[in-house]
């Protein structure tokens, strides 16, 4: 059994980012793009991008309890969205990118996101159909879309100062859709504390 307080710092994902920046600021994070090329970014630059995204989202009214839905493959932007959500008290939901249009439409309708980050490559047509079927009124941002309507332009519009808000370690920050006995998937909520402790356990067995 573990004591009630395992660590002497807040068990939030944003604190882990801040700690990584202070210890490994110049160390690079490597991410593979959908076209298989690589993105390289330092922890320090990554932290500034998270701050910009959080400020840009706050400028569009995103706040505590709002859902941010990710419809795409894994990349560094997915992690930026999770951390930006944590800074705002919002909940980030990465969905299975291999779903059908009907399955996507269900997740969109059920999660009722304020913002949808989507991927054009490979699944753009499917997502457009899902968007029509769901009647989504969310802000849609293409993470692999260039130009004024894309993720990078949206992020660049945000200030790079830290918006604050380390978050409540017991507050929900991640929602994962799981199989359910009802026949439709349910969104399971995970807290900051759960994610940090899970990561610490995994690190101990590496």
């Amino acid at each position: 059994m573990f004591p009630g307080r395992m660590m002497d710092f807040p068990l939030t994902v944003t604190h882990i980012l801040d700690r990584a920046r202070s210890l490994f600021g110049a160390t690079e994070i490597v991410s593979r793009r959908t076209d298989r090329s690589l993105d390289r970014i330092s922890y320090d630059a990554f932290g500034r991008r998270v701050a910009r995204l959080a400020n840009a989202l706050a400028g569009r009214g995103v706040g505590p309890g709002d859902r941010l839905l990710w419809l795409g493959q894994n990349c560094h932007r997915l992690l930026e969205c999770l951390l930006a959500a944590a800074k705002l008290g919002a909940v980030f939901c990465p969905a299975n990118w291999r779903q059908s249009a009907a399955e996507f439409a269900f997740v969109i309708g059920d999660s009722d996101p304020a913002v949808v980050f989507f991927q054009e490559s490979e699944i753009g047509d499917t997502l457009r159909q899902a968007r029509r079927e769901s009647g989504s009124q969310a802000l849609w941002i293409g993470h692999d879309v260039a130009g004024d309507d894309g993720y990078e332009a949206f992020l660049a519009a945000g200030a790079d100062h830290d918006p604050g808000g380390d978050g409540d370690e017991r507050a929900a920050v991640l929602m994962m859709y799981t199989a359910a006995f009802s026949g439709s998937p349910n969104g399971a909520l995970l807290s900051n504390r759960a994610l940090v402790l899970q990561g610490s356990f995994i690190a101990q067995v590496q």
Side-chain angles (χ1 to χ4, degrees):
M1 297 294 292
F2 294 102
R5 186 69 178 180
M6 290 179 57
M7 305 175 188
D8 61 355
F9 54 80
L11 300 183
T12 64
V13 293
T14 54
H15 180 84
I16 298 302
L17 171 62
D18 293 341
R19 183 68 172 163
R21 290 181 72 183
S22 67
L23 294 175
F24 315 111
T27 303
E28 288 187 331
I29 302 168
V30 179
S31 172
R32 188 179 299 277
R33 297 181 185 177
T34 54
D35 64 3
R36 306 306 179 189
S37 62
L38 298 179
D39 279 314
R40 296 178 181 274
I41 183 172
S42 71
Y43 273 106
D44 193 51
F46 181 76
R48 291 196 299 273
R49 284 175 61 85
V50 170
R52 283 189 179 279
L53 179 59
N55 285 318
L57 288 167
R60 298 300 293 265
V62 174
D66 285 333
R67 272 80 63 197
L68 308 179
L69 182 60
W70 178 274
L71 304 180
Q73 294 165 287
N74 292 346
C75 74
H76 67 280
R77 296 188 184 99
L78 183 154
L79 188 54
E80 290 170 359
C81 291
L82 169 64
L83 290 161
K87 285 196 171 288
L88 298 175
V91 178
F92 178 64
C93 177
N96 178 3
W97 71 278
R98 295 183 182 276
Q99 295 182 99
S100 68
E103 290 169 328
F104 277 130
F106 171 82
V107 170
I108 294 167
D110 186 68
S111 63
D112 188 24
V115 181
V116 177
F117 297 97
F118 72 94
Q119 180 173 307
E120 178 62 34
S121 174
E122 299 188 56
I123 57 174
D125 290 341
T126 302
L127 292 179
R128 275 184 284 277
Q129 180 180 343
R131 184 177 182 178
R132 290 193 299 270
E133 292 179 3
S134 68
S136 172
Q137 298 300 307
L139 171 65
W140 284 62
I141 301 171
H143 90 84
D144 60 344
V145 174
D148 294 341
D149 296 328
Y151 180 96
E152 292 300 325
F154 181 79
L155 181 147
D160 67 357
H161 65 78
D162 191 325
D166 199 27
D168 179 350
E169 62 184 48
R170 290 179 170 79
V173 69
L174 179 68
M175 181 163 68
M176 301 291 291
Y177 272 90
T178 66
F181 294 110
S182 64
S184 298
N186 289 330
L189 295 173
L190 297 172
S191 67
N192 275 280
R193 183 182 180 90
L195 294 186
V196 173
L197 292 180
Q198 180 187 53
S200 69
F201 294 151
I202 292 172
Q204 292 178 45
V205 299
Q206 294 300 312

